[in-house]
Amino acid sequence: MELTLKQKSYIYGLLGTDGWYNRGTICIELSKTDKDIVEKLHILLPKSSIYYRKRDTNFKENYECYRWCSNKELADILLSMGYPIEDKTNTLNIPTTEYDELSFWRGVLDGDGSYCIRKARERLQPMINLTTKSEALRNSFCNFAYKITGYTYNPQRNKRDNIYNIGITGNRAIQITKMLYNNIDETDLYIDRKYQKMKEILTFENQVPTTTEKQRYRMEDFIPYFQRDMKNKQIAEILNCSSETVGRWKKRYNQLIENEAPAKYKECGDML
């Protein structure tokens, strides 16, 4: 089995949120609408299994879906990465071994997240939402969002379901969406339906109102992207600034590295 780190990370995120462990395999059941990701997984892992089902649920009669079950080899790989067998709903978190952060969160949002356009204050704006019962996953996602947007999120459990509904709107939603789908290629995994929604969100890039004050940047805003050796133009598009601004900050960053950067910048490390 020749899976890339990005593929394993995505599968961990998707099956971690929407799957379950069953006697040496890990399974997932998705609506007929998302059949594409089931087929992608089966092509990638031909020893896996696909089952078509039609059944009545609490929400819909004659619900059509596909169940996909991995082989034991993939299950062992995911377990070695920290996939929780028991009480996954409450204990799921990022992998305990090396993983690709962007691919993992794309998988998580494909499983228990959503991309949408909502109406707020008589204006349409993009939104990303993640629903989880796991406090550990909640904390990790908020940290991930902070590293990209610089905004601190502190969602609380709702009283009805005791779960976290983490909503990110406007330009911050656009920033995160662009990072998650930045430079994906034919080997990357994603659900087509959410990929199309991502493209819809990005059409709002120049429509979402921003503050009238001039954006003030910090070194910490740029370090995650410098660490990934991204081009100035790509960083500028994500942070909504000019390539010249990125260039000035990169020059300062390189000077800091040459002169042994302060500890607080070293801690930024591989933020992404």
Side-chain angles (χ1 to χ4, degrees):
M1 185 183 302
E2 296 288 340
L3 290 177
T4 67
L5 181 63
K6 293 171 71 176
Q7 290 168 341
K8 288 188 288 186
S9 300
Y10 174 88
I11 294 172
Y12 187 105
L14 179 66
L15 299 187
T17 50
D18 236 7
W20 68 92
Y21 182 82
N22 180 36
R23 299 180 181 179
T25 66
I26 299 179
C27 302
I28 187 171
E29 188 171 280
L30 296 171
S31 166
K32 179 183 178 181
T33 307
D34 295 328
K35 179 183 176 182
D36 62 281
I37 190 62
V38 174
E39 293 177 334
K40 291 175 187 176
L41 291 173
H42 188 59
I43 292 172
L44 193 61
L45 302 160
K47 292 183 180 180
S48 59
S49 305
I50 296 180
Y51 306 92
Y52 168 79
R53 300 181 68 198
K54 180 185 287 188
R55 59 189 176 87
D56 292 339
T57 70
N58 295 332
F59 308 100
K60 186 177 182 180
E61 293 183 357
N62 295 321
Y63 172 70
E64 294 183 86
C65 59
Y66 286 88
R67 176 175 293 186
W68 177 86
C69 292
S70 73
N71 56 20
K72 186 177 184 302
E73 186 177 357
L74 176 64
D76 289 342
I77 290 174
L78 296 183
L79 291 176
S80 71
M81 294 174 68
Y83 189 95
I85 295 178
E86 298 179 355
D87 198 21
K88 176 177 67 65
T89 300
N90 292 298
T91 62
L92 179 66
N93 198 4
I94 59 176
T96 56
T97 60
E98 180 186 8
Y99 73 105
D100 182 82
E101 189 172 39
L102 299 179
S103 299
F104 168 74
W105 287 116
R106 193 168 63 249
V108 168
L109 288 168
D110 275 2
D112 275 349
S114 63
Y115 304 85
C116 65
I117 307 299
R118 71 167 192 169
K119 190 172 184 179
R121 297 179 182 177
E122 303 302 318
R123 185 187 295 270
L124 295 176
Q125 67 173 352
M127 179 178 183
I128 297 174
N129 188 79
L130 175 63
T131 300
T132 182
K133 203 170 184 179
S134 168
E135 184 174 356
L137 192 69
R138 172 261 195 205
N139 293 340
S140 294
F141 183 68
C142 289
N143 288 337
F144 171 71
Y146 172 76
K147 289 186 289 188
I148 294 177
T149 68
Y151 186 82
T152 301
Y153 293 89
N154 186 32
Q156 304 300 310
R157 294 184 186 273
N158 65 37
K159 295 181 179 180
R160 186 186 66 181
D161 304 315
N162 198 35
I163 62 176
Y164 297 104
N165 287 306
I166 309 168
I168 301 174
T169 61
N171 284 313
R172 298 185 184 107
I174 293 173
Q175 282 182 280
I176 292 175
T177 301
K178 290 178 72 171
M179 279 301 300
L180 291 175
Y181 288 90
N182 183 57
N183 291 334
I184 58 175
D185 57 38
E186 66 276 2
T187 66
D188 289 312
L189 296 169
Y190 53 84
I191 291 178
D192 289 348
R193 175 175 57 86
K194 295 195 175 182
Y195 179 78
Q196 295 304 319
K197 185 60 68 173
M198 172 275 298
K199 292 198 291 186
E200 184 180 354
I201 283 179
L202 295 188
T203 64
F204 281 76
E205 185 171 8
N206 298 319
Q207 301 177 35
V208 178
T210 58
T211 177
T212 56
E213 295 180 4
K214 185 177 180 180
Q215 175 68 50
R216 295 183 180 276
Y217 295 102
R218 303 168 303 164
M219 178 63 74
E220 291 91 332
D221 296 329
F222 295 89
I223 289 179
Y225 309 105
F226 294 159
Q227 290 283 338
R228 293 178 67 86
D229 294 325
M230 293 175 62
K231 295 181 179 179
N232 288 7
K233 185 177 179 181
Q234 293 175 314
I235 301 173
E237 290 177 349
I238 293 169
L239 295 179
N240 292 320
C241 63
S242 67
S243 296
E244 290 75 15
T245 297
V246 177
R248 288 194 294 270
W249 280 102
K250 183 174 286 187
K251 183 177 179 180
R252 298 179 193 177
Y253 171 74
N254 291 332
Q255 291 173 343
L256 284 171
I257 296 301
E258 292 175 1
N259 298 321
E260 297 187 0
K264 70 173 183 177
Y265 294 133
K266 291 182 179 179
E267 289 174 359
C268 294
D270 296 323
M271 293 175 104
L272 297 178

